[in-house]
Amino acid sequence: EPGTITNTAQVQSTDQPDVDSTPANNIEDEDDQDSATISTVSDIDLSLEKTASIESVKVGEQFSYILTLTNDGPSKATGIEVSEQLPTTVTYIGASANEGIYVSSTGVWSIDELEAGASATLTIDVTASTEGEVVNVAQVSAADQPDVDSTPANNDPDEDDQDDATVNVAGKV
């Protein structure tokens, strides 16, 4: 877990008297005792996979975007946010997640914590409203811990915390 670790060392005994300290008395102000403190940071490895339930639809047809977020650890991830702004060429119907909450008005999927080795899934149901190729990008936009191989919210398609799904929308149903 993230936090701090303090290690204290102290002289426990001597063969001769010490002129300015007493061994083994646990008084920090004496020169026979000292402490060192270090901060610990736990790394995470979040990856995001995004798919569409179908590759081709007609205007007015419903389909889903499925996002799967995985934490490959080694530590538990907390304070996770995934940016999932729906394109204006689809109409939002609803969403369900097995972890966290998706707020369509902000386009943010928030997950309080995700254990190492665990995955979370978000399914967003939409209706195609405009013809053409619809590319929808999602990415991890925040996490409390550093990710070992990606940077949240940097819009880098080569990192594993970002993915997209393409759906081709043809004429009306």
Side-chain angles (χ1 to χ4, degrees), residues 85-165:
Q85 293 287 337
L86 293 173
T88 58
T89 54
V90 300
T91 303
Y92 175 77
I93 298 172
S96 62
N98 69 342
E99 295 286 339
I101 298 170
Y102 176 71
V103 178
S104 62
S105 61
T106 62
V108 175
W109 177 24
S110 300
I111 302 169
D112 289 337
E113 60 183 44
L114 190 61
E115 294 291 336
S119 294
T121 302
L122 168 67
T123 302
I124 302 173
D125 299 319
V126 297
T127 301
S129 55
T130 305
E131 287 186 50
E133 184 179 78
V134 179
V135 179
N136 185 358
V137 178
Q139 71 174 316
V140 174
S141 53
D144 290 341
Q145 299 77 22
D147 192 304
V148 297
D149 62 0
S150 10
T151 303
N154 68 345
N155 199 27
D156 185 343
D158 294 329
E159 292 184 351
D160 67 351
D161 70 341
Q162 178 173 321
D163 201 10
D164 61 70

